[in-house]
Amino acid sequence: MIRLFNHLPKRNRQSLDGLWQFAIDPEKQGLQNGWQNGLASDARTVVVPSCWNHEPELYHYEGTAWYSTAFTTTGETVQLMFHAVTGKADIYVDGQHVTSHYGGFTPFDVVLGNLTPGRHVLAVAVDNTHDTLNTIPLARVDWFHYGGIIRSIELHELNDAWIKDHKIDYTLNESMTSASLSISLQIESLHPKERTDTLRVLMGGNVLYEKEIHLHGETNIHLDRIEIEKISLWDIGQPNLYEITMDIGCDSVTERMGFRDIRVSGQTILLNGKEIYLKGVNRHEDHPDWGFAVPFKLNKKDMDIIKQLGCNTIRGSHYPNSKAFLDLCDQEGILFWEEIPVWGYPEEALQNPLVQDRAEAMLQEMILRDYHHPSIFVWGLHNEIDTRTQAGYRITERLAQKARSLDKSRPITFATHYPMDDMCLPFADIISVNKYNGWYEGDLNSWEEFLASFEERLNSIGQHDKPIIMSEFGAGAIYGETSFESPKWTENYQEKYFKYTLTLFRKHPKIAGSYIWQYCDIRTAREMELYRPRSFNNKGIVNEYRKPKLAYWTVQKLYHE
Ligand code: ADA
């Protein structure tokens, strides 16, 4: 399930999901073997989408692998849409290299013209290698580097003209009872001569706007002040959504808009003019049986459990999630913090221009992909990079600039690991702190002293007039491990940990909310296995099979208060 509504009502779309030929290529011999022309028909097959680590004997495999399938087309112009391929992807059609993409959680596509109608061979080379200097994410992260074609692939048969890109912005009137849309469209026309079409903007079947347009090659159209009287705001738990369709006759695109106003005011976060307190969890889109390629039913199950917990927000730690899950957040009225997997970068890697360029490209792809989701209320630039350094400062400055240039409607933040030495806080609209007092350092009582000294520091560097989010804090608990003495790794200690921290944070006047670390136990990377019992990060308040630990019920009680 790619979307929860019909995003491209007129597009002739064919899913290429299913059984593909597959072969690992650890020695990178694929091209010499001619695999770009398709793997042998008797090659093993795997399900697309899925993570290859769930194939027999590939549990730990990280490197290069090839996939191939065949597709048939009746049209001459097709668009191949790849919703996510981990690491680097190189795409071949009938043996010809047609595009490549870097980055494991954002989509890419290629338009192929002048195809002869009939059968074609599609081959995909995936390089999921991670290193310590160039890749995003790096080798050392605290989740497993599942590899493969992890989200769906589609084939769109394009007509003479199609909507290549679109962006809908809106402003609300003072009383937030009506909206004024501005819409930008990029339309491609293959017609040899200029052609005339009618552009319509519709909402729920009613025509909001109509005009004649003249298309030739690439046409950019900008519409302003399309008024929608009497709207109901999108809000937490009140997910009012409106389907806005842009139609050019032979093609159309629909976005599901939620009209809301999110802004930072002093130390508070305002949603539709009201101060909100964020009650959140950090969630990896992960499960031991599917890795990143979780079925939508699991996303729905997680959403139900998280709503039952009493949350009003989820941080998608630490990478762009599937579109269907974001659609679900829109539909459930849950706020979402989305970020890119720039996790734990040391100074040396931050100094690497390739990392800087890749991070900016990934941030741009995430924002352009997810711009219209009302649930996304903040963009996360990175997580626990070394923001004590000039390199950390420069990449944060660059990413902040990029985010603000693409989106003036949302605040930005990043999760700092160095609250007392961070040089980059001025770039953040919201100050987000990852801290593990009572687990990695000090005991639970050391929290009060930290919060006091952090507040002093913010005052001293002129950053005191911003909201603070406790974006990560938590304790490990082995599922089923209980005792009277509640030492670390027991469910009892974890329960005590959240009872203490959530109560403390809730009483703090400058804390605008918290995201506990973390929702569920997850498999960790090889580089972390030594430090993680079971080779899992066990800080979930449910285990990897979504079975609740003691802490779940305590957090639920506190989040419902
Ligand atoms: C960090 C990191 C998380 C996780 C956590 C932990 O804050 O951002 O991804 O690794 O620590 O469990 O230690």
Side-chain angles (χ1 to χ4, degrees):
M1 185 178 290
I2 296 169
R3 300 301 302 267
L4 298 191
F5 64 98
N6 193 353
H7 173 51
L8 297 167
K10 290 189 174 176
R11 198 72 63 88
N12 175 356
R13 287 178 285 165
Q14 191 188 129
S15 171
L16 297 185
D17 293 352
L19 287 175
W20 288 44
Q21 284 86 21
F22 175 81
I24 60 171
D25 182 18
E27 308 306 323
K28 296 186 190 279
Q29 299 298 311
L31 284 175
Q32 282 96 307
N33 299 345
W35 289 354
Q36 66 275 25
N37 300 301
L39 294 166
S41 53
D42 62 350
R44 76 190 291 183
T45 56
V46 298
V47 172
V48 165
S50 72
C51 301
W52 65 51
N53 308 91
H54 296 113
E55 298 305 315
E57 99 276 349
L58 298 183
Y59 186 74
H60 279 124
Y61 182 68
E62 193 177 309
T64 305
W66 285 75
Y67 296 76
S68 71
T69 190
F71 65 86
T72 53
T73 168
T74 55
E76 298 198 348
T77 307
V78 301
Q79 178 184 32
L80 292 172
M81 172 60 80
F82 301 82
H83 285 278
V85 180
T86 61
K88 175 131 185 322
D90 281 288
I91 311 300
Y92 301 85
V93 172
D94 301 335
Q96 298 303 310
H97 187 268
V98 293
T99 192
S100 63
H101 178 263
Y102 183 82
F105 304 96
T106 48
F108 60 99
D109 71 283
V110 60
V111 173
L112 304 171
N114 311 317
L115 271 185
T116 49
R119 185 179 183 277
H120 298 274
V121 175
L122 170 61
V124 178
V126 181
D127 182 351
N128 190 39
T129 314
H130 294 80
D131 63 23
T132 58
L133 208 52
N134 305 289
T135 58
I136 297 185
L138 294 178
R140 187 184 176 282
V141 286
D142 199 1
W143 65 89
F144 187 73
H145 292 302
Y146 297 104
I149 301 175
I150 61 169
R151 294 180 191 151
S152 292
I153 297 180
E154 293 179 285
L155 181 146
H156 298 181
E157 298 217 4
L158 298 172
N159 296 311
D160 272 356
W162 70 93
I163 298 173
K164 185 178 176 187
D165 209 351
H166 66 284
K167 188 171 179 220
I168 307 174
D169 283 295
Y170 61 85
T171 52
L172 300 175
N173 67 341
E174 183 109 5
S175 56
M176 295 196 260
T177 53
S178 68
S180 178
L181 305 186
S182 62
I183 297 177
S184 301
L185 291 167
Q186 196 178 68
I187 302 169
E188 282 286 339
S189 167
L190 294 174
H191 223 260
K193 297 199 301 307
E194 184 176 278
R195 52 179 285 165
T196 302
D197 279 295
T198 302
L199 166 61
R200 286 189 184 84
V201 178
L202 304 102
M203 183 175 81
N206 301 322
V207 178
L208 297 177
Y209 179 88
E210 181 172 320
K211 88 170 203 173
E212 195 176 85
I213 52 175
H214 304 285
L215 301 175
H216 190 227
E218 187 172 289
T219 309
N220 291 306
I221 294 174
H222 184 78
L223 310 175
D224 255 328
R225 285 191 296 286
I226 298 180
E227 307 299 336
I228 303 179
E229 301 306 328
K230 252 187 86 46
I231 51 136
S232 300
L233 293 173
W234 187 93
D235 208 311
I236 293 170
Q238 291 170 32
N240 294 300
L241 293 169
Y242 297 82
E243 292 200 359
I244 305 288
T245 298
M246 293 141 286
D247 185 304
I248 58 170
C250 60
D251 196 23
S252 69
V253 177
T254 297
E255 283 297 350
R256 221 168 43 167
M257 303 295 293
F259 298 110
R260 52 121 184 85
D261 178 88
I262 188 82
R263 66 184 65 223
V264 166
S265 167
Q267 289 150 7
T268 62
I269 301 171
L270 302 179
L271 176 61
N272 302 328
K274 296 188 310 294
E275 183 179 342
I276 55 174
Y277 188 83
L278 297 169
K279 300 181 287 186
V281 285
N282 282 279
R283 174 185 176 265
H284 273 275
E285 193 168 41
D286 175 293
H287 184 282
D289 296 342
W290 291 287
F292 296 135
V294 298
F296 182 69
K297 169 56 188 166
L298 183 87
N299 276 332
K300 177 68 170 68
K301 178 181 176 127
D302 283 351
M303 177 60 79
D304 293 344
I305 294 171
I306 288 169
K307 289 196 73 172
Q308 182 192 315
L309 185 61
C311 293
N312 57 15
T313 184
I314 296 168
R315 176 182 179 212
S317 52
H318 293 284
Y319 36 76
N321 277 205
S322 58
K323 286 298 279 186
F325 190 67
L326 297 176
D327 285 344
L328 188 58
C329 291
D330 294 343
Q331 232 167 267
E332 297 282 346
I334 286 274
L335 291 171
F336 194 80
W337 161 341
E338 197 169 44
E339 64 185 33
I340 55 174
V342 177
W343 184 101
Y345 279 64
E347 180 174 29
E348 192 191 5
L350 295 171
Q351 288 167 334
N352 181 353
L354 180 61
V355 162
Q356 297 160 11
D357 294 345
R358 283 175 162 175
E360 184 177 76
M362 208 176 273
L363 180 73
Q364 172 155 316
E365 288 178 12
M366 173 179 74
I367 293 175
L368 293 180
R369 184 194 74 157
D370 297 336
Y371 187 79
H372 297 104
H373 288 283
S375 56
I376 296 177
F377 78 102
V378 68
W379 299 114
L381 304 182
H382 46 63
N383 180 79
E384 298 192 2
I385 70 168
D386 196 340
T387 44
R388 299 167 299 182
T389 64
Q390 276 306 314
Y393 184 90
R394 277 195 300 275
I395 198 169
T396 304
E397 182 176 43
R398 179 171 170 183
L399 294 177
Q401 213 157 14
K402 174 56 74 176
R404 296 195 199 285
S405 71
L406 293 170
D407 185 352
K408 296 179 176 35
S409 72
R410 291 178 175 91
I412 62 174
T413 190
F414 60 85
T416 185
H417 187 41
Y418 306 101
M420 301 308 286
D421 319 288
D422 199 300
M423 296 169 58
C424 304
L425 299 179
F427 294 115
D429 297 312
I430 298 172
I431 292 183
S432 301
V433 180
N434 292 358
K435 201 86 172 53
Y436 286 85
N437 291 39
W439 182 256
Y440 291 124
E441 53 186 303
D443 58 22
L444 283 172
N445 299 325
S446 65
W447 271 108
E448 296 212 52
E449 185 194 336
F450 160 69
L451 289 173
S453 50
F454 184 50
E455 196 175 337
E456 260 173 52
R457 185 189 180 229
L458 292 179
N459 289 333
S460 69
I461 58 173
Q463 294 300 305
H464 52 285
D465 201 24
K466 291 179 179 176
I468 299 171
I469 292 180
M470 300 310 291
S471 42
E472 282 188 38
F473 54 100
I478 303 296
Y479 177 74
E481 187 61 33
T482 62
S483 86
F484 288 107
E485 292 72 30
S486 67
K488 284 183 178 175
W489 293 113
T490 59
E491 290 191 22
N492 311 77
Y493 181 75
Q494 189 189 44
E495 193 250 351
K496 187 176 138 197
Y497 184 95
F498 285 122
K499 187 177 231 168
Y500 180 89
T501 48
L502 288 175
T503 306
L504 178 70
F505 298 158
R506 193 70 181 92
K507 286 187 304 197
H508 195 291
K510 300 184 185 232
I511 292 178
S514 61
Y515 290 84
I516 67 164
W517 186 272
Q518 63 174 328
Y519 166 62
C520 66
D521 292 349
I522 57 160
R523 186 178 163 192
T524 194
R526 299 210 74 169
E527 288 70 12
M528 294 287 281
E529 281 179 353
L530 202 54
Y531 317 100
R532 296 278 183 267
R534 313 186 299 139
S535 299
F536 272 68
N537 182 311
N538 298 283
K539 298 189 185 71
I541 57 172
V542 301
N543 76 356
E544 62 272 25
Y545 294 103
R546 279 61 178 172
K547 289 177 172 296
K549 301 176 189 176
L550 272 179
Y552 178 89
W553 310 109
T554 301
V555 173
Q556 183 186 55
K557 183 172 175 298
L558 290 164
Y559 272 179
H560 277 282
E561 272 169 8

